[in-house]
Amino acid sequence: MTIAPKGDAAIAKPTAGAIREFEARGHGAFVETLDDNRMVINMGPVHPSTHGVLRLLLELDGETVHRCEPIIGYLHTGMEKECEDQNWRGAVTIVTRMDYLSPFFNEQAYSLAVEALLGIEVPPRGKYIRTLIAELNRLSSHLVWFGTQGLDMGAMSAMFYGFRERELILDFYEMVTGLRMNNGYFIPGGVWEDLPDDWEGPLRTIVALMPGRIDEYEELLTENPIFLERTRGVGVLTNEAAIALGAAGPVARASGVDWDLRRDMPYEAYGDVEFDVPVDTDGDVYARYVVRMAEMRESVKIIEQLMAAMPDGDHKNMDPKLMPPPRGEMAKSMEAVIHHFKLMTQGYTVPPGEAYAAVESPRGELGAYVVSDGGSSPYRVHVRDPSFVNLQSLGPIAIDGLIADLIACIASVDPIMGGVDR
Amino acid sequence: MPVTTVAAGEWLERARALKEEGWWLMDLCGLDALQLGHENRFQVVCQLLHSERKERQTVHVDATGEPPSLPSVIEVWPTVDFMEREAYDMFGITFEGHPNLTRILMPDEWEGHPLRKDYGVGKVAIEFIAQPYVQIDSPLQSPKPREAGVRTDVLGQTAKADPPAEEVTS
């Protein structure tokens, strides 16, 4: 298969904003014909294939996309500002709502940053639980991607299959954290609750089931001639473009950027597990599909290893200045009551400073930049969301493609608008 | 993680040198140091990553002037396009040389820059001032204060003349 090189022109030229004058001219919201028969079309923000409230302004020549400018902000709710009003523990419940398909990664990045500021350690069991839940989350997030990618290509059953297995994983979250989404389970210092006593059974079911189910998905799409026709050589992102545009995660790895934070800069328990990092060099929609499918298999492997090696002990750092005391202790100890009162009203303070912590989310590097002024609430929380950055590569990869292929490109970049707009 | 501070004037040159060394820019965000006691109020914080050395570093760039400004590094790292627009939108930091420095998350006609520390949450300051008591005539509003000798029903309407006034004690 040959790939026509896009050249650096597509990278170096950012969204120039000229297309935005379209709005200023006030020709209605949908379509405008330019002098040389090119057409400006508005796609979204309410469109079934844009995965949320993504709006694209497209300049078309017939069916060919000449320019594609993502316009975002329709889901902006000022979460970074809201974090400044919460205490350090409470901000977890805000950041978890950013990228709503991978909530645990948001919590993990934020918690790691706050832990770096506090200078505390998470006990081994806490680290293992976090890693385990995070890998499950990667699985459930990729399952949604699989479903929507299939759906956008016309394979509706992919959606049913993907969501069927995701449900099992969400049930496990519910069992462990009490919630299916937006869990607020990882906190600075560990995880809020230990795993329930019978956690291994449901997880064993998932681990035993998934490889076979992934085979099923592959039977459905991997060699499906229609799927191949619509994905191979479509939406190509070259290696240089991927690096220049800061693409991360599967999008970059499908373009030959061999970089995975879990392997290259291990955090939590990733140093103790063995797994491969799937890399492809084609850079097209199909390569991103292949990389994500392989990642799902690797996640299952990681989960198996973590289950076998789950250490005993505390699930969180039991420093009484950080964690509320166990309920039973409060009936016996005055000190515990005081600690509980202080933590529940004011919360703990964090030494002044700044920290940046990054984790490998299903979409790439998810970083949290946290600044403390020494008070009991964050001074500034910024989340580097991978969807936000990856969305910039949508313009270059859509250029010179067909408008129908653009739909495949959006699904393969897998942007989550909650994370993009924050 | 090493942290360095760069003046706005040196930033572009420094960025080019860092790019030559092989640093990737992973994140760029604004910071309003109003309550941190820094000399310079507005800063831009860049997180850099070196994939071969497996190292990270943080670079603070001071944005000086009014409005606070610094050169854009979009020609060095094209990935900063959205990030610089976000910093402009949220903090009002202008990036000289950015081809499309418009609001990205807030609506175009929005006033103010929400992540600044002096930008109130809810935008309008809420003040609790004692308001003079206003009598509302609608029967569905709260009942009127009782006058001596006048009986009112639950809707605040004056009851019929019956019963006589002297029976009302409360």
Side-chain angles (χ1 to χ4, degrees):
Chain A
M1 184 181 51
T2 54
I3 297 165
K6 284 267 168 64
D8 289 343
I11 316 164
K13 189 171 60 188
T15 52
I19 201 166
R20 211 152 189 195
E21 292 168 12
F22 159 70
E23 277 201 311
R25 285 194 294 272
H27 286 294
F30 296 105
V31 63
E32 181 192 14
T33 311
L34 300 176
D35 300 336
D36 50 351
N37 269 341
R38 280 172 304 136
M39 192 187 265
V40 183
I41 265 197
N42 181 63
M43 183 171 161
V46 184
H47 187 282
S49 295
T50 55
H51 293 218
V53 282
L54 171 62
R55 179 177 172 201
L56 300 170
L57 266 183
L58 306 173
E59 195 182 289
L60 303 175
D61 184 0
E63 285 274 305
T64 312
V65 178
H66 267 216
R67 202 186 286 170
C68 164
E69 186 183 342
I71 298 175
I72 60 176
Y74 291 93
L75 208 58
H76 178 64
T77 45
M79 291 190 188
E80 288 179 4
K81 184 90 175 172
E82 276 176 66
C83 286
E84 295 170 11
D85 281 346
Q86 302 285 332
N87 60 27
W88 290 95
R89 160 76 181 81
V92 170
T93 59
I94 306 281
V95 295
T96 186
R97 281 158 172 80
M98 289 178 176
D99 184 347
Y100 45 77
L101 285 187
S102 49
F104 290 109
F105 292 94
N106 303 326
E107 298 166 19
Q108 195 176 24
Y110 171 79
S111 300
L112 285 170
V114 177
E115 280 154 15
L117 277 175
L118 283 166
I120 57 167
E121 272 291 311
V122 179
R125 188 176 171 85
K127 284 185 181 172
Y128 269 69
I129 295 176
R130 278 195 197 177
T131 317
L132 178 91
I133 299 276
E135 281 310 310
L136 268 177
N137 198 172
R138 188 181 315 276
L139 211 47
S140 73
S141 175
H142 279 354
L143 283 170
V144 176
W145 157 79
F146 171 78
T148 47
Q149 174 88 60
L151 186 70
D152 288 350
M153 318 250 72
M156 195 180 228
S157 42
M159 188 81 172
F160 300 147
Y161 286 128
F163 274 68
R164 180 183 64 187
E165 269 70 72
R166 179 172 178 260
E167 205 60 23
L168 290 173
I169 298 172
L170 291 194
D171 285 346
F172 184 76
Y173 296 162
E174 194 175 6
M175 180 182 150
V176 175
T177 72
L179 290 168
R180 291 156 60 83
M181 292 174 85
N182 307 333
N183 312 68
Y185 180 57
F186 298 178
I187 51 168
V191 291
W192 184 242
E193 285 279 348
D194 204 353
L195 293 172
D197 293 338
D198 50 348
W199 64 277
E200 278 186 78
L203 203 50
R204 250 178 236 297
T205 318
I206 295 171
V207 168
L209 200 67
M210 276 317 290
R213 291 287 162 90
I214 298 171
D215 290 342
E216 240 177 74
Y217 308 153
E218 297 232 29
E219 272 173 35
L220 207 62
L221 291 183
T222 307
E223 285 171 21
N224 183 329
I226 301 169
F227 185 75
L228 288 177
E229 198 64 24
R230 289 212 52 194
T231 52
R232 287 202 130 164
V234 168
V236 178
L237 185 68
T238 59
N239 186 297
E240 301 78 45
I243 293 173
L245 291 165
V251 177
R253 284 195 284 275
S255 299
V257 183
D258 191 4
W259 178 255
D260 190 317
L261 285 175
R262 294 176 293 167
R263 179 197 62 195
D264 297 319
M265 298 173 89
Y267 53 94
E268 308 270 42
Y270 285 113
D272 306 347
V273 290
E274 287 189 1
F275 59 98
D276 297 325
V277 176
V279 179
D280 206 313
T281 47
D282 287 351
D284 54 1
V285 174
Y286 187 71
R288 293 193 271 277
Y289 165 83
V290 169
V291 166
R292 286 204 179 90
M293 290 311 256
E295 267 186 21
M296 277 159 61
R297 293 185 192 278
E298 294 303 320
S299 287
V300 176
K301 268 202 249 168
I302 296 175
I303 293 166
E304 272 178 332
Q305 293 175 44
L306 290 168
M307 280 175 75
M310 181 64 73
D312 292 327
D314 286 339
H315 58 281
K316 58 184 176 185
N317 192 316
M318 293 306 277
D319 185 345
K321 300 287 181 203
L322 285 177
M323 296 291 167
R327 192 75 213 169
E329 210 171 296
M330 285 172 61
K332 290 180 280 184
S333 155
M334 188 61 211
E335 207 183 346
V337 176
I338 294 168
H339 277 138
H340 183 267
F341 178 73
K342 283 291 278 182
L343 285 171
M344 289 299 150
T345 50
Q346 186 197 9
Y348 49 84
T349 58
V350 171
E354 60 169 41
Y356 178 82
V359 298
E360 184 75 27
S361 93
R363 290 164 195 83
E365 172 170 330
L366 196 153
Y369 172 68
V370 177
V371 183
S372 168
D373 61 348
S376 60
S377 57
Y379 182 80
R380 167 109 169 93
V381 176
H382 172 75
V383 173
R384 184 245 191 231
D385 195 275
S387 308
F388 181 72
V389 183
N390 286 354
L391 201 56
Q392 295 183 94
S393 47
L394 185 60
I397 68 177
I399 290 174
D400 296 339
L402 297 178
I403 189 165
D405 292 340
L406 173 65
I407 306 297
C409 295
I410 299 171
S412 74
V413 171
D414 194 19
I416 299 302
M417 297 317 286
V420 173
D421 292 343
R422 280 158 291 145
Chain B
M1 207 157 56
V3 181
T4 46
T5 306
V6 178
E10 298 160 16
W11 173 223
L12 196 56
E13 213 173 292
R14 185 70 197 283
R16 287 202 185 103
L18 286 166
K19 171 82 186 290
E20 279 299 304
E21 268 182 60
W23 290 91
W24 295 350
L25 188 136
M26 297 314 283
D27 186 29
L28 180 148
C29 70
L31 175 66
D32 179 359
L34 183 65
Q35 291 143 15
L36 286 180
H38 288 201
E39 233 171 73
N40 200 48
R41 182 174 164 190
F42 289 104
Q43 295 177 344
V44 163
V45 185
C46 303
Q47 310 293 344
L48 304 178
L49 172 71
H50 201 294
S51 66
E52 279 153 33
R53 293 188 223 153
K54 301 189 169 45
E55 278 174 16
R56 286 183 185 279
Q57 67 161 308
T58 308
V59 178
H60 284 238
V61 190
D62 285 335
T64 47
E66 184 55 45
S69 63
L70 70 162
S72 167
V73 287
I74 192 159
E75 55 169 278
V76 185
W77 291 294
T79 176
V80 295
D81 179 15
F82 274 17
M83 302 172 190
E84 289 188 338
R85 282 176 67 191
E86 191 192 353
Y88 164 73
D89 192 358
M90 293 293 146
F91 293 94
I93 299 171
T94 53
F95 294 84
E96 292 150 14
H98 191 290
N100 182 26
L101 199 65
T102 50
R103 286 190 183 275
I104 184 166
L105 295 177
M106 305 301 283
D108 282 342
E109 62 278 8
W110 194 264
E111 283 172 20
H113 299 283
L115 274 177
R116 286 188 175 191
K117 283 285 170 183
D118 51 5
Y119 185 95
V121 177
K123 196 175 176 191
V124 182
I126 299 169
E127 293 177 1
F128 293 98
I129 303 170
Q131 299 286 330
Y133 181 72
V134 181
Q135 189 84 39
I136 299 163
D137 288 336
S138 163
L140 292 173
Q141 296 295 333
S142 54
K144 292 174 188 172
R146 288 185 176 187
E147 293 163 32
V150 180
R151 171 173 270 197
T152 53
D153 64 12
V154 283
L155 290 178
Q157 287 167 327
T158 313
K160 300 280 186 291
D162 171 53
E166 57 265 26
E167 280 185 27
V168 181
T169 50
S170 60

